[in-house]
Amino acid sequence: MTRIRLLGICLLLGVALGVHAEPLSVGITPLKPAAKLAEEWTPLLDEVAKRSGLALRFRTATSIPAYGERLDKGEYDIAYMNPYDYQVYSTSPGYRAFARERGQLLEGVLLVRKDSRIKELRDINGARVSFPTPLAFAASLLTQAEMLKQGIKVEAKYVQSHDSVLKSVAAGNFEAGGTILKVLQTADPALAADLRVLHKTAAYPSHPFAAHPRVPPEVVDKLRQAFNSLHNDDAGRKLLAGVAFKGFEPAADRDYEDVRRLDLKKLVEAVK
């Protein structure tokens, strides 16, 4: 049997068995520095790869805006993104949600130093407040929408990452900061100990894992099953704890209709 014929047979078998030969790139939104994200997410993705029989490769970007640019170009096969990004990039290039954090809704939070004299949301009127980026769905859009609704005006500064928000508030550079609870829960304990939650926004569906249209449905099914199995055993639960998740559950595009019904264009213009 010639080498060319043998290669052809192997390729045909791969198609028949639904094997995805090339590693799937899995983008994780850069809520934290890349090295920290890799440390937290790579072990979990390795386990998902093992359970699904698929090769996965961790990827991120240097900033949230850069991540959005890569989503727009469809650079990631699989992407973990915030709900605002999802309602944008589910339209084009057509990412589709298939999994999300189990039993968890997404809330924006405003943080202050633990020893701050600020006790109520109205107390930050006129204050300098840090946010990751203008388009961070819960951390920036939802928090600032609620302040606008209550007539609260602040001097907003964008520091490019959620991690920088926590550090800037703890250092006293800003009187408050917008982020999400997940970031605070997974922050360095010494840093988190210096902060307290001043206010929480209304809750929306959490960040989805979504697949690019080029990823075959049978591959997405394998990933969905692998992610959703992690909470069923000790090994999986240990890895979930590393990203402060209780587990994963199936997600669908329709789960994000409440986000689409928000006047996001108006919110975006208001915070820019």
Side-chain angles (χ1 to χ4, degrees), residues 208-232:
F209 269 93
H212 191 278
R214 64 175 169 266
V215 181
E218 62 272 19
V219 171
V220 177
D221 285 341
K222 289 179 180 180
L223 287 170
R224 182 187 295 110
Q225 292 172 21
F227 273 108
N228 296 346
S229 73
L230 291 171
H231 68 275
N232 292 327

PDB file of all heavy atoms in Angstrom, residues 208-232:
ATOM      1  N   PRO A 208     -20.917  33.177  28.242  1.00  0.00           N
ATOM      2  CA  PRO A 208     -20.992  31.873  27.585  1.00  0.00           C
ATOM      3  C   PRO A 208     -19.655  31.435  26.995  1.00  0.00           C
ATOM      4  O   PRO A 208     -18.793  32.262  26.678  1.00  0.00           O
ATOM      5  CB  PRO A 208     -21.983  32.120  26.448  1.00  0.00           C
ATOM      6  CG  PRO A 208     -21.709  33.546  26.057  1.00  0.00           C
ATOM      7  CD  PRO A 208     -21.352  34.264  27.347  1.00  0.00           C
ATOM      8  N   PHE A 209     -19.502  30.122  26.872  1.00  0.00           N
ATOM      9  CA  PHE A 209     -18.537  29.561  25.937  1.00  0.00           C
ATOM     10  C   PHE A 209     -19.299  29.402  24.632  1.00  0.00           C
ATOM     11  O   PHE A 209     -20.398  28.828  24.620  1.00  0.00           O
ATOM     12  CB  PHE A 209     -18.016  28.207  26.414  1.00  0.00           C
ATOM     13  CG  PHE A 209     -16.781  28.303  27.264  1.00  0.00           C
ATOM     14  CD1 PHE A 209     -16.878  28.373  28.646  1.00  0.00           C
ATOM     15  CD2 PHE A 209     -15.519  28.331  26.690  1.00  0.00           C
ATOM     16  CE1 PHE A 209     -15.752  28.469  29.441  1.00  0.00           C
ATOM     17  CE2 PHE A 209     -14.379  28.429  27.479  1.00  0.00           C
ATOM     18  CZ  PHE A 209     -14.492  28.495  28.854  1.00  0.00           C
ATOM     19  N   ALA A 210     -18.748  29.925  23.550  1.00  0.00           N
ATOM     20  CA  ALA A 210     -19.438  29.904  22.269  1.00  0.00           C
ATOM     21  C   ALA A 210     -18.508  29.381  21.176  1.00  0.00           C
ATOM     22  O   ALA A 210     -17.299  29.602  21.226  1.00  0.00           O
ATOM     23  CB  ALA A 210     -19.940  31.302  21.912  1.00  0.00           C
ATOM     24  N   ALA A 211     -19.094  28.710  20.211  1.00  0.00           N
ATOM     25  CA  ALA A 211     -18.327  28.102  19.120  1.00  0.00           C
ATOM     26  C   ALA A 211     -18.483  28.899  17.839  1.00  0.00           C
ATOM     27  O   ALA A 211     -19.574  29.363  17.506  1.00  0.00           O
ATOM     28  CB  ALA A 211     -18.789  26.663  18.899  1.00  0.00           C
ATOM     29  N   HIS A 212     -17.376  29.053  17.115  1.00  0.00           N
ATOM     30  CA  HIS A 212     -17.406  29.672  15.798  1.00  0.00           C
ATOM     31  C   HIS A 212     -18.156  28.737  14.839  1.00  0.00           C
ATOM     32  O   HIS A 212     -18.109  27.509  15.003  1.00  0.00           O
ATOM     33  CB  HIS A 212     -15.969  29.894  15.312  1.00  0.00           C
ATOM     34  CG  HIS A 212     -15.880  30.760  14.093  1.00  0.00           C
ATOM     35  ND1 HIS A 212     -16.082  30.268  12.820  1.00  0.00           N
ATOM     36  CD2 HIS A 212     -15.600  32.097  13.956  1.00  0.00           C
ATOM     37  CE1 HIS A 212     -15.939  31.258  11.949  1.00  0.00           C
ATOM     38  NE2 HIS A 212     -15.643  32.377  12.611  1.00  0.00           N
ATOM     39  N   PRO A 213     -18.856  29.285  13.831  1.00  0.00           N
ATOM     40  CA  PRO A 213     -19.609  28.430  12.896  1.00  0.00           C
ATOM     41  C   PRO A 213     -18.781  27.363  12.186  1.00  0.00           C
ATOM     42  O   PRO A 213     -19.336  26.344  11.736  1.00  0.00           O
ATOM     43  CB  PRO A 213     -20.170  29.440  11.877  1.00  0.00           C
ATOM     44  CG  PRO A 213     -20.204  30.733  12.587  1.00  0.00           C
ATOM     45  CD  PRO A 213     -19.050  30.717  13.551  1.00  0.00           C
ATOM     46  N   ARG A 214     -17.467  27.571  12.080  1.00  0.00           N
ATOM     47  CA  ARG A 214     -16.635  26.564  11.385  1.00  0.00           C
ATOM     48  C   ARG A 214     -16.450  25.290  12.207  1.00  0.00           C
ATOM     49  O   ARG A 214     -16.004  24.267  11.671  1.00  0.00           O
ATOM     50  CB  ARG A 214     -15.271  27.141  11.032  1.00  0.00           C
ATOM     51  CG  ARG A 214     -14.405  27.516  12.218  1.00  0.00           C
ATOM     52  CD  ARG A 214     -13.007  27.961  11.805  1.00  0.00           C
ATOM     53  NE  ARG A 214     -12.294  28.565  12.934  1.00  0.00           N
ATOM     54  CZ  ARG A 214     -12.260  29.862  13.181  1.00  0.00           C
ATOM     55  NH1 ARG A 214     -12.878  30.701  12.378  1.00  0.00           N
ATOM     56  NH2 ARG A 214     -11.609  30.335  14.232  1.00  0.00           N
ATOM     57  N   VAL A 215     -16.759  25.336  13.493  1.00  0.00           N
ATOM     58  CA  VAL A 215     -16.588  24.153  14.337  1.00  0.00           C
ATOM     59  C   VAL A 215     -17.789  23.218  14.117  1.00  0.00           C
ATOM     60  O   VAL A 215     -18.933  23.628  14.328  1.00  0.00           O
ATOM     61  CB  VAL A 215     -16.483  24.539  15.828  1.00  0.00           C
ATOM     62  CG1 VAL A 215     -16.283  23.297  16.691  1.00  0.00           C
ATOM     63  CG2 VAL A 215     -15.344  25.520  16.043  1.00  0.00           C
ATOM     64  N   PRO A 216     -17.554  21.977  13.718  1.00  0.00           N
ATOM     65  CA  PRO A 216     -18.654  21.059  13.423  1.00  0.00           C
ATOM     66  C   PRO A 216     -19.549  20.808  14.643  1.00  0.00           C
ATOM     67  O   PRO A 216     -19.061  20.783  15.778  1.00  0.00           O
ATOM     68  CB  PRO A 216     -17.942  19.762  13.004  1.00  0.00           C
ATOM     69  CG  PRO A 216     -16.579  20.200  12.562  1.00  0.00           C
ATOM     70  CD  PRO A 216     -16.235  21.355  13.446  1.00  0.00           C
ATOM     71  N   PRO A 217     -20.859  20.641  14.446  1.00  0.00           N
ATOM     72  CA  PRO A 217     -21.798  20.412  15.552  1.00  0.00           C
ATOM     73  C   PRO A 217     -21.419  19.234  16.442  1.00  0.00           C
ATOM     74  O   PRO A 217     -21.594  19.299  17.662  1.00  0.00           O
ATOM     75  CB  PRO A 217     -23.130  20.157  14.836  1.00  0.00           C
ATOM     76  CG  PRO A 217     -22.998  20.858  13.533  1.00  0.00           C
ATOM     77  CD  PRO A 217     -21.554  20.721  13.145  1.00  0.00           C
ATOM     78  N   GLU A 218     -20.896  18.171  15.840  1.00  0.00           N
ATOM     79  CA  GLU A 218     -20.540  17.002  16.647  1.00  0.00           C
ATOM     80  C   GLU A 218     -19.361  17.303  17.580  1.00  0.00           C
ATOM     81  O   GLU A 218     -19.261  16.740  18.679  1.00  0.00           O
ATOM     82  CB  GLU A 218     -20.222  15.793  15.762  1.00  0.00           C
ATOM     83  CG  GLU A 218     -19.033  15.949  14.827  1.00  0.00           C
ATOM     84  CD  GLU A 218     -19.388  16.549  13.475  1.00  0.00           C
ATOM     85  OE1 GLU A 218     -20.462  17.182  13.358  1.00  0.00           O
ATOM     86  OE2 GLU A 218     -18.575  16.369  12.536  1.00  0.00           O
ATOM     87  N   VAL A 219     -18.485  18.209  17.162  1.00  0.00           N
ATOM     88  CA  VAL A 219     -17.372  18.627  18.011  1.00  0.00           C
ATOM     89  C   VAL A 219     -17.887  19.488  19.162  1.00  0.00           C
ATOM     90  O   VAL A 219     -17.471  19.325  20.312  1.00  0.00           O
ATOM     91  CB  VAL A 219     -16.324  19.391  17.177  1.00  0.00           C
ATOM     92  CG1 VAL A 219     -15.260  20.029  18.076  1.00  0.00           C
ATOM     93  CG2 VAL A 219     -15.659  18.450  16.173  1.00  0.00           C
ATOM     94  N   VAL A 220     -18.818  20.379  18.867  1.00  0.00           N
ATOM     95  CA  VAL A 220     -19.427  21.210  19.907  1.00  0.00           C
ATOM     96  C   VAL A 220     -20.139  20.331  20.937  1.00  0.00           C
ATOM     97  O   VAL A 220     -20.055  20.573  22.148  1.00  0.00           O
ATOM     98  CB  VAL A 220     -20.410  22.228  19.294  1.00  0.00           C
ATOM     99  CG1 VAL A 220     -21.099  23.038  20.397  1.00  0.00           C
ATOM    100  CG2 VAL A 220     -19.675  23.172  18.342  1.00  0.00           C
ATOM    101  N   ASP A 221     -20.813  19.293  20.474  1.00  0.00           N
ATOM    102  CA  ASP A 221     -21.506  18.373  21.391  1.00  0.00           C
ATOM    103  C   ASP A 221     -20.519  17.697  22.347  1.00  0.00           C
ATOM    104  O   ASP A 221     -20.797  17.547  23.540  1.00  0.00           O
ATOM    105  CB  ASP A 221     -22.269  17.302  20.602  1.00  0.00           C
ATOM    106  CG  ASP A 221     -23.538  17.849  19.955  1.00  0.00           C
ATOM    107  OD1 ASP A 221     -24.010  18.917  20.399  1.00  0.00           O
ATOM    108  OD2 ASP A 221     -24.042  17.214  19.012  1.00  0.00           O
ATOM    109  N   LYS A 222     -19.380  17.280  21.808  1.00  0.00           N
ATOM    110  CA  LYS A 222     -18.364  16.647  22.660  1.00  0.00           C
ATOM    111  C   LYS A 222     -17.857  17.617  23.728  1.00  0.00           C
ATOM    112  O   LYS A 222     -17.672  17.239  24.881  1.00  0.00           O
ATOM    113  CB  LYS A 222     -17.194  16.150  21.807  1.00  0.00           C
ATOM    114  CG  LYS A 222     -17.517  14.947  20.935  1.00  0.00           C
ATOM    115  CD  LYS A 222     -16.293  14.554  20.120  1.00  0.00           C
ATOM    116  CE  LYS A 222     -16.586  13.357  19.232  1.00  0.00           C
ATOM    117  NZ  LYS A 222     -15.400  12.960  18.423  1.00  0.00           N
ATOM    118  N   LEU A 223     -17.634  18.855  23.315  1.00  0.00           N
ATOM    119  CA  LEU A 223     -17.167  19.863  24.268  1.00  0.00           C
ATOM    120  C   LEU A 223     -18.226  20.147  25.330  1.00  0.00           C
ATOM    121  O   LEU A 223     -17.911  20.251  26.518  1.00  0.00           O
ATOM    122  CB  LEU A 223     -16.814  21.154  23.525  1.00  0.00           C
ATOM    123  CG  LEU A 223     -15.539  21.125  22.691  1.00  0.00           C
ATOM    124  CD1 LEU A 223     -15.444  22.375  21.826  1.00  0.00           C
ATOM    125  CD2 LEU A 223     -14.312  21.015  23.589  1.00  0.00           C
ATOM    126  N   ARG A 224     -19.471  20.278  24.898  1.00  0.00           N
ATOM    127  CA  ARG A 224     -20.559  20.546  25.836  1.00  0.00           C
ATOM    128  C   ARG A 224     -20.639  19.446  26.888  1.00  0.00           C
ATOM    129  O   ARG A 224     -20.739  19.705  28.095  1.00  0.00           O
ATOM    130  CB  ARG A 224     -21.892  20.661  25.089  1.00  0.00           C
ATOM    131  CG  ARG A 224     -23.075  20.996  25.996  1.00  0.00           C
ATOM    132  CD  ARG A 224     -24.395  20.930  25.261  1.00  0.00           C
ATOM    133  NE  ARG A 224     -24.495  21.941  24.214  1.00  0.00           N
ATOM    134  CZ  ARG A 224     -24.474  21.695  22.916  1.00  0.00           C
ATOM    135  NH1 ARG A 224     -24.328  20.441  22.477  1.00  0.00           N
ATOM    136  NH2 ARG A 224     -24.578  22.670  22.032  1.00  0.00           N
ATOM    137  N   GLN A 225     -20.576  18.205  26.447  1.00  0.00           N
ATOM    138  CA  GLN A 225     -20.659  17.075  27.377  1.00  0.00           C
ATOM    139  C   GLN A 225     -19.470  17.063  28.331  1.00  0.00           C
ATOM    140  O   GLN A 225     -19.627  16.793  29.534  1.00  0.00           O
ATOM    141  CB  GLN A 225     -20.728  15.766  26.586  1.00  0.00           C
ATOM    142  CG  GLN A 225     -22.026  15.586  25.804  1.00  0.00           C
ATOM    143  CD  GLN A 225     -21.987  14.387  24.870  1.00  0.00           C
ATOM    144  OE1 GLN A 225     -21.191  13.465  25.055  1.00  0.00           O
ATOM    145  NE2 GLN A 225     -22.832  14.394  23.855  1.00  0.00           N
ATOM    146  N   ALA A 226     -18.289  17.381  27.822  1.00  0.00           N
ATOM    147  CA  ALA A 226     -17.087  17.377  28.663  1.00  0.00           C
ATOM    148  C   ALA A 226     -17.154  18.482  29.716  1.00  0.00           C
ATOM    149  O   ALA A 226     -16.882  18.241  30.902  1.00  0.00           O
ATOM    150  CB  ALA A 226     -15.843  17.530  27.799  1.00  0.00           C
ATOM    151  N   PHE A 227     -17.489  19.689  29.301  1.00  0.00           N
ATOM    152  CA  PHE A 227     -17.617  20.797  30.255  1.00  0.00           C
ATOM    153  C   PHE A 227     -18.671  20.469  31.320  1.00  0.00           C
ATOM    154  O   PHE A 227     -18.445  20.674  32.521  1.00  0.00           O
ATOM    155  CB  PHE A 227     -18.024  22.084  29.534  1.00  0.00           C
ATOM    156  CG  PHE A 227     -16.880  22.886  28.987  1.00  0.00           C
ATOM    157  CD1 PHE A 227     -16.642  22.956  27.615  1.00  0.00           C
ATOM    158  CD2 PHE A 227     -16.038  23.601  29.831  1.00  0.00           C
ATOM    159  CE1 PHE A 227     -15.593  23.703  27.102  1.00  0.00           C
ATOM    160  CE2 PHE A 227     -14.987  24.358  29.334  1.00  0.00           C
ATOM    161  CZ  PHE A 227     -14.761  24.409  27.963  1.00  0.00           C
ATOM    162  N   ASN A 228     -19.812  19.953  30.876  1.00  0.00           N
ATOM    163  CA  ASN A 228     -20.931  19.724  31.792  1.00  0.00           C
ATOM    164  C   ASN A 228     -20.698  18.547  32.734  1.00  0.00           C
ATOM    165  O   ASN A 228     -21.432  18.380  33.718  1.00  0.00           O
ATOM    166  CB  ASN A 228     -22.218  19.499  31.006  1.00  0.00           C
ATOM    167  CG  ASN A 228     -22.635  20.725  30.216  1.00  0.00           C
ATOM    168  OD1 ASN A 228     -22.129  21.822  30.439  1.00  0.00           O
ATOM    169  ND2 ASN A 228     -23.563  20.546  29.281  1.00  0.00           N
ATOM    170  N   SER A 229     -19.680  17.725  32.467  1.00  0.00           N
ATOM    171  CA  SER A 229     -19.399  16.571  33.327  1.00  0.00           C
ATOM    172  C   SER A 229     -18.475  16.908  34.497  1.00  0.00           C
ATOM    173  O   SER A 229     -18.338  16.116  35.431  1.00  0.00           O
ATOM    174  CB  SER A 229     -18.766  15.445  32.498  1.00  0.00           C
ATOM    175  OG  SER A 229     -17.416  15.766  32.142  1.00  0.00           O
ATOM    176  N   LEU A 230     -17.834  18.065  34.458  1.00  0.00           N
ATOM    177  CA  LEU A 230     -16.765  18.354  35.407  1.00  0.00           C
ATOM    178  C   LEU A 230     -17.228  18.369  36.860  1.00  0.00           C
ATOM    179  O   LEU A 230     -16.478  17.983  37.762  1.00  0.00           O
ATOM    180  CB  LEU A 230     -16.102  19.691  35.071  1.00  0.00           C
ATOM    181  CG  LEU A 230     -15.276  19.721  33.781  1.00  0.00           C
ATOM    182  CD1 LEU A 230     -14.859  21.150  33.449  1.00  0.00           C
ATOM    183  CD2 LEU A 230     -14.046  18.824  33.903  1.00  0.00           C
ATOM    184  N   HIS A 231     -18.468  18.805  37.109  1.00  0.00           N
ATOM    185  CA  HIS A 231     -18.928  18.903  38.498  1.00  0.00           C
ATOM    186  C   HIS A 231     -19.342  17.558  39.083  1.00  0.00           C
ATOM    187  O   HIS A 231     -19.678  17.470  40.268  1.00  0.00           O
ATOM    188  CB  HIS A 231     -20.098  19.889  38.611  1.00  0.00           C
ATOM    189  CG  HIS A 231     -21.361  19.421  37.956  1.00  0.00           C
ATOM    190  ND1 HIS A 231     -21.616  19.614  36.605  1.00  0.00           N
ATOM    191  CD2 HIS A 231     -22.436  18.763  38.449  1.00  0.00           C
ATOM    192  CE1 HIS A 231     -22.794  19.098  36.316  1.00  0.00           C
ATOM    193  NE2 HIS A 231     -23.313  18.573  37.409  1.00  0.00           N
ATOM    194  N   ASN A 232     -19.283  16.505  38.283  1.00  0.00           N
ATOM    195  CA  ASN A 232     -19.776  15.194  38.734  1.00  0.00           C
ATOM    196  C   ASN A 232     -18.748  14.367  39.499  1.00  0.00           C
ATOM    197  O   ASN A 232     -19.095  13.322  40.051  1.00  0.00           O
ATOM    198  CB  ASN A 232     -20.273  14.378  37.529  1.00  0.00           C
ATOM    199  CG  ASN A 232     -21.524  14.976  36.913  1.00  0.00           C
ATOM    200  OD1 ASN A 232     -22.359  15.552  37.623  1.00  0.00           O
ATOM    201  ND2 ASN A 232     -21.669  14.845  35.603  1.00  0.00           N
TER     202      ASN A 232
END
